Amino acid sequence: MSTASFPEGFVWGVSTSAFQIEGATSADGRGPSIWDGFSADRAEACDHYHRHPEDVRLMKDLGMAAYRFSVSWARVFPEGAGKANEAGLDFYDRLLDELLAAGITPYATLYHWDLPRALETLGGWPSRDTARHFADYASAVHDRLGDRVDTWFTLNEPWVAAFLGYGSGVHAPGRKSAADAFRSAHHMLLGHGLATQALRSAGATRVGIVLNISPVMTPAQVSDFGRELSEEDAEAVARIDALANRQFLEPVLRGSYPAELLPIIERHGGLDHVRDGDLDTIAQPVDLLGVNYYTPQVVQAQPSESADPAFPGSEGVLFCTVPTAVTAMGWPIVPNCLALLLRRISREYPELDLMITENGADFVDTVTGDGIHDVDRISFIEEHLRALLSAVEEGARVRGYLVWTLLDNLEWADGYQRKFGLVHVDFATQRRRLKDSALWYRDVIRRNGLTETRPKRPTLETVAARAGVSRATVSRVVNGEASVSADVRTAVMRAVTELGYVPNAAARSLVTRRTNAIALVLSVPRQGDSLTAAVVQYVTSMLEGAGKQITLMLADTAESHRRIVQQAEARLVDGVVLLPSDRADTLAERLSRTGVPIVLLGKPAVTSLVPYVDVDNAGGAEAATEHLLARGRRHIGMICGPMDLVAVQDRLAGHRAALHRAGLQPLLALADLTRASGAAAARQLLGDDPSLDAVFAATDQLAIGALQAAREAGRRVPEDLAIVGFDDIDAASATTPGLTTVRVPLADQALALARLLLSRLEGRHTTSVVLPTRLVVRDST
């Protein structure tokens, strides 16, 4: 079979990071980093510190030419600076010796997010001193390891470290300050420049930096890269590109910040941290740019949108999800975007050498008797390699490709639930097992390329015919059942080997009795068509991406309820995603008794019944009420309804809690789900208390009704009467004035439902998921 070959000398390998695999967090003098204690899971990870000889042997057996690892700053300098810890450097000595003996070229990354906690205590990356300490650390590591490392990367993904660590607070150290995020980004770049100078003066052969770069596009452009944009969307795309990509590319490669970025930085904390000469230092020539690519950034203009904390300055930009296949993390899979960004970088920086330093995916892996058949991961990597090859053939100077990652590991704040590795790790025993993707990648390395055509996969029937047995017998063999005779097992495995058969869900289902069918059960009528639509779209996309077949079922009558329960009892479905009706019914309770895994959208009245996904209704209501109190409102009424809905009960509880802290009593009016009832309830509140100066409504529909009643009564909004809703339906931004409301994350709920069900199907311990809400302030307050 012909091969689509990569250039001669193309480098194949894998990437890892210290905190995610090393473990040994208190061994041999290592100090704590900002991630120790921040991650919910203990950081013993893969125990690579003690098991690195085994891991290097795995890489050698797979034919890896390169291994990109990171050095733990806290292992080398437990206090971040001062005297180096020789025992920590000894570990990297041993690792390098193992790699070189195996014929594997080491690529060292000096900073992969694990700042010593001692330096964070002194100010962390917002402090200029941290950049100088980083350069000293780089010198010390090179002094010890520079005789065996040719290529050095200073930083890994400074956008993530700065804006998720110091802006949104979802990564360590957990700060939430736009000013700190911009200062951190600048000081990381300054640290890169100072470290580059130090490494070059010490004789380093090649120095580079690793950036996470994602094409920024609108949802329409995901399927049509050439789609022309409106002026508003074009501005939104350019602004996010400046924040996410050009904020790092241009200082490093051109010695300047994007002009449109400077006013944003100044508005969020000033520019005094950018000193004369800094940009000259940052723009030290680099020999290699590491490119990490996973998924595009998809945005569109939406004037009412608040800024995302991870993107300070993104007001008026909506971050979108798109109806395409996704990974288990919910990241859209768009391989051609890799070629798109490589063409862009090559066009803008034509003399720059590139390396894909991270590319990979989290999928739900199933361990069977004969291995881990991660066909989704193989497909993900193959499609991205085809996109990469097309860019190389067009002239992109890409010198190598490193998969993220070698081992299933500690995936930062997500703990051990994410599976990016080519090698499965049983964290209870530390046993390593090669997945099918590892063996497939080994063959890609051997060929230095991909097969020109994708061979037709042999089926269960093909193997059965070759071996002269039934489909069920093949299934029992590939699932490791002991009841099959040795002769039959030998014949089946010979056929499997000769045909190159990869056991799939069909083979496994004959033994496990799984159907791979999931029932997505909808009830009507349902409040909030947008939520139902999001669940249908994203749950379907994510579960189908995991190899499941989705059956939509309508639960609108007693007969339909009976039929759905019968399907579950007969095991015609493996799991159920249930969107219950707005009124109480017993379907969730009846399904819970069937033993089939079920997940529920919205908190049920009995929370121990089944795992559910909901939003923080009480917290959102508290935030809305506190917002009104902060603006001096003291006569606040709430429109509640209907009171048999658990979400409304929680919103009332949050409202009452905020009023209680302020020493105020609630003033309530009941309603149903319609705008007309909201208007009637608002009239009642205005009649009961003429001094009423604010209304909090349990839903946006009720709030829109209150706006109507206020106009009828001659009350000006917000001068006389402030109004806040809940849900952020599409109409909320189009009211006059625009409605302040509490945003409910639609797509996040849908993706959480799918992840929760997949976890239940795997037999993992699962707990319900409650997602945060966000107050969206508009003109009505």
Side-chain angles (χ1 to χ4, degrees):
M1 187 173 293
S2 59
T3 300
S5 297
F6 282 77
E8 185 178 351
F10 192 83
V11 176
W12 299 97
V14 288
S15 288
T16 66
S17 87
F19 179 79
Q20 293 180 270
I21 67 166
E22 283 183 3
T25 53
S26 58
D28 298 330
R30 177 189 181 273
S33 79
I34 54 175
W35 277 96
D36 292 282
F38 186 89
S39 174
D41 291 282
R42 61 187 182 87
E44 293 314 300
C46 308
D47 196 26
H48 179 73
Y49 187 81
H50 297 109
R51 297 173 182 268
H52 62 278
E54 176 186 357
D55 295 336
V56 172
R57 283 196 300 274
L58 283 174
M59 288 187 277
K60 179 180 180 181
D61 291 344
L62 293 172
M64 306 287 183
Y67 176 49
R68 174 179 165 247
F69 65 99
S70 76
V71 178
S72 166
W73 190 345
R75 198 177 291 286
V76 175
F77 285 102
E79 296 300 320
K83 179 175 172 56
N85 174 32
E86 294 300 319
L89 287 166
D90 288 345
F91 163 67
Y92 297 105
D93 258 337
R94 297 192 296 272
L95 174 62
L96 290 179
D97 288 346
E98 292 279 353
L99 290 168
L100 294 174
I104 299 170
T105 300
Y107 288 67
T109 302
L110 288 166
Y111 186 70
H112 200 128
W113 310 350
D114 48 354
L115 184 72
R117 189 184 294 166
L119 291 183
E120 175 62 22
T121 302
L122 296 174
W125 281 111
S127 168
R128 191 177 184 87
D129 287 342
T130 304
R132 290 192 283 268
H133 291 311
F134 179 66
D136 293 340
Y137 154 65
S139 292
V141 174
H142 185 275
D143 286 348
R144 184 69 174 272
L145 309 179
D147 59 329
R148 285 155 293 168
V149 176
D150 290 329
T151 302
W152 297 84
F153 292 112
T154 54
L155 306 174
N156 179 81
E157 297 186 356
W159 180 87
V160 174
F163 288 91
L164 298 188
Y166 290 90
S168 68
V170 299
H171 275 201
R175 294 202 218 175
K176 298 180 180 181
S177 165
D180 283 347
F182 282 119
R183 288 176 179 271
S184 295
H186 179 73
H187 291 148
M188 286 181 196
L189 292 176
L190 180 62
H192 155 76
L194 294 170
T196 300
Q197 290 176 334
L199 291 167
R200 290 203 191 285
S201 66
T205 304
R206 292 197 302 176
V207 181
I209 187 172
V210 173
L211 303 178
N212 55 304
I213 308 174
S214 295
V216 184
M217 56 185 59
T218 65
Q221 286 181 311
V222 172
S223 55
D224 179 7
F225 290 167
R227 177 73 67 90
E228 289 190 14
L229 300 181
S230 67
E231 185 177 338
E232 295 80 8
D233 280 345
E235 189 281 329
V237 166
R239 185 156 27 116
I240 301 307
D241 185 52
L243 286 164
N245 297 324
R246 294 169 55 212
Q247 180 174 188
F248 301 93
L249 280 168
E250 294 190 12
V252 170
L253 300 175
R254 290 180 174 161
S256 62
Y257 280 114
E260 65 269 41
L261 188 63
L262 294 175
I264 297 175
I265 300 175
E266 187 165 28
R267 188 170 76 244
H268 286 88
L271 287 163
D272 60 301
H273 59 287
V274 182
R275 300 183 185 176
D276 290 345
D278 281 3
L279 287 163
D280 290 336
T281 301
I282 292 169
Q284 299 299 305
V286 295
D287 303 292
L288 188 64
L289 176 67
V291 175
N292 292 354
Y293 171 74
Y294 292 95
T295 191
Q297 289 280 1
V298 184
V299 303
Q300 65 186 38
Q302 179 142 317
S304 61
E305 189 72 14
S306 301
D308 186 313
F311 293 88
S314 62
E315 298 88 351
V317 179
L318 177 66
F319 288 81
C320 308
T321 48
V322 290
T324 186
V326 295
T327 69
M329 290 191 76
W331 293 351
I333 301 172
V334 191
N336 285 341
C337 277
L338 176 57
L340 185 70
L341 77 87
L342 291 173
R343 286 195 291 267
R344 170 193 171 177
I345 296 171
S346 298
R347 181 175 65 252
E348 296 180 1
Y349 307 98
E351 302 304 317
L352 183 63
D353 279 355
L354 308 174
M355 173 174 272
I356 305 303
T357 38
E358 289 184 26
N359 178 238
D362 169 36
F363 288 109
V364 177
D365 292 328
T366 301
V367 179
T368 69
D370 69 317
I372 300 104
H373 308 302
D374 55 337
V375 292
D376 292 323
R377 185 171 292 104
I378 292 172
S379 175
F380 180 97
I381 297 173
E382 179 177 12
E383 293 305 319
H384 283 79
L385 284 176
R386 291 189 187 280
L388 168 58
L389 183 57
S390 71
V392 170
E393 290 171 344
E394 292 172 13
R397 297 163 61 99
V398 184
R399 304 311 185 197
Y401 176 88
L402 309 180
V403 171
W404 183 267
T405 180
L406 176 66
L407 305 166
D408 288 341
N409 58 30
L410 179 61
E411 188 56 34
W412 305 108
D414 281 343
Y416 294 113
Q417 64 176 313
R418 302 298 177 199
K419 308 297 180 186
F420 278 87
L422 299 175
V423 178
H424 175 270
V425 178
D426 180 335
F427 292 103
T429 64
Q430 291 297 340
R431 180 189 177 191
R432 274 78 160 141
R433 294 182 67 182
L434 298 178
K435 302 178 188 179
D436 285 355
S437 57
L439 303 175
W440 174 87
Y441 190 48
R442 176 196 62 193
D443 293 340
V444 170
I445 295 171
R446 286 176 177 172
R447 288 192 300 265
N448 192 39
L450 302 162
T451 55
E452 284 279 14
T453 57
R454 300 166 179 80
K456 183 177 180 181
R457 291 180 180 174
T459 65
L460 196 66
E461 289 79 5
T462 310
V463 176
R466 175 70 67 90
V469 298
S470 69
R471 292 172 72 250
T473 298
V474 174
S475 183
R476 284 194 291 272
V477 170
V478 299
N479 281 279
E481 278 201 1
S483 60
V484 183
S485 72
D487 289 345
V488 171
R489 184 181 305 279
T490 299
V492 170
M493 293 311 297
R494 183 186 305 115
V496 165
T497 301
E498 290 172 353
L499 294 169
Y501 173 67
V502 176
N504 59 14
R508 293 193 293 271
S509 68
L510 291 178
V511 170
T512 63
R513 297 177 182 263
R514 287 195 171 184
T515 65
N516 283 310
I518 303 297
L520 178 51
V521 180
L522 312 178
S523 300
V524 292
R526 176 164 184 86
Q527 177 192 11
D529 288 340
S530 56
L531 178 56
T532 301
V535 169
V536 172
Q537 176 179 336
Y538 296 115
V539 167
T540 299
S541 175
M542 188 168 179
L543 291 179
E544 286 182 344
K548 310 300 180 185
Q549 295 177 344
I550 309 302
T551 301
L552 286 174
M553 306 181 77
L554 194 61
D556 58 340
T557 65
E559 174 59 26
S560 65
H561 283 207
R562 185 186 64 79
R563 186 175 63 254
I564 292 164
V565 172
Q566 282 183 335
Q567 293 234 358
E569 288 175 337
R571 295 300 190 268
L572 298 178
V573 294
D574 292 339
V576 177
V577 178
L578 177 61
L579 280 65
S581 67
D582 289 324
R583 305 300 181 191
D585 63 46
T586 62
L587 182 56
E589 180 183 355
R590 293 166 66 189
L591 283 169
S592 71
R593 293 197 294 264
T594 67
V596 169
I598 174 176
V599 295
L600 190 66
L601 178 65
K603 185 171 75 173
V606 181
T607 55
S608 60
L609 190 64
V610 292
Y612 62 87
V613 172
D614 201 4
V615 298
D616 186 4
N617 287 294
E622 284 192 59
T625 307
E626 288 169 351
H627 170 74
L628 292 170
L629 292 167
R631 277 150 182 76
R633 311 288 175 162
R634 287 297 180 269
H635 299 272
I636 305 172
M638 179 176 178
I639 301 176
C640 290
M643 287 309 300
D644 59 342
L645 297 181
V646 176
V648 171
Q649 295 168 15
D650 286 348
R651 292 173 191 183
L652 174 57
H655 173 69
R656 280 176 164 160
L659 290 181
H660 178 73
R661 288 194 295 271
L664 301 175
Q665 294 297 317
L667 179 64
L668 306 177
L670 299 181
D672 58 28
L673 295 171
T674 64
R675 294 185 186 184
S677 71
R683 294 186 197 104
Q684 176 189 331
L685 290 171
L686 289 166
D688 291 342
D689 185 356
S691 61
L692 191 78
D693 58 11
V695 170
F696 169 54
T699 73
D700 285 346
Q701 295 286 9
L702 298 178
I704 293 170
L707 285 169
Q708 175 187 338
R711 283 194 298 270
E712 293 170 354
R715 301 291 293 271
R716 297 173 302 164
V717 179
E719 292 84 355
D720 302 328
L721 186 69
I723 298 178
V724 181
F726 205 115
D727 288 329
D728 199 25
I729 62 175
D730 289 341
S733 62
T735 59
T736 304
L739 181 65
T740 291
T741 184
V742 177
R743 170 157 305 154
V744 171
L746 303 184
D748 289 350
Q749 289 180 81
L751 294 171
L753 276 170
R755 291 172 188 145
L756 188 59
L757 182 62
L758 289 171
S759 293
R760 294 208 71 198
L761 292 173
E762 292 175 358
R764 300 184 197 170
H765 174 70
T766 55
T767 57
S768 297
V769 177
V770 178
L771 298 167
T773 56
R774 182 155 60 95
L775 186 69
V776 180
V777 179
R778 300 192 181 104
D779 293 340
S780 71
T781 60

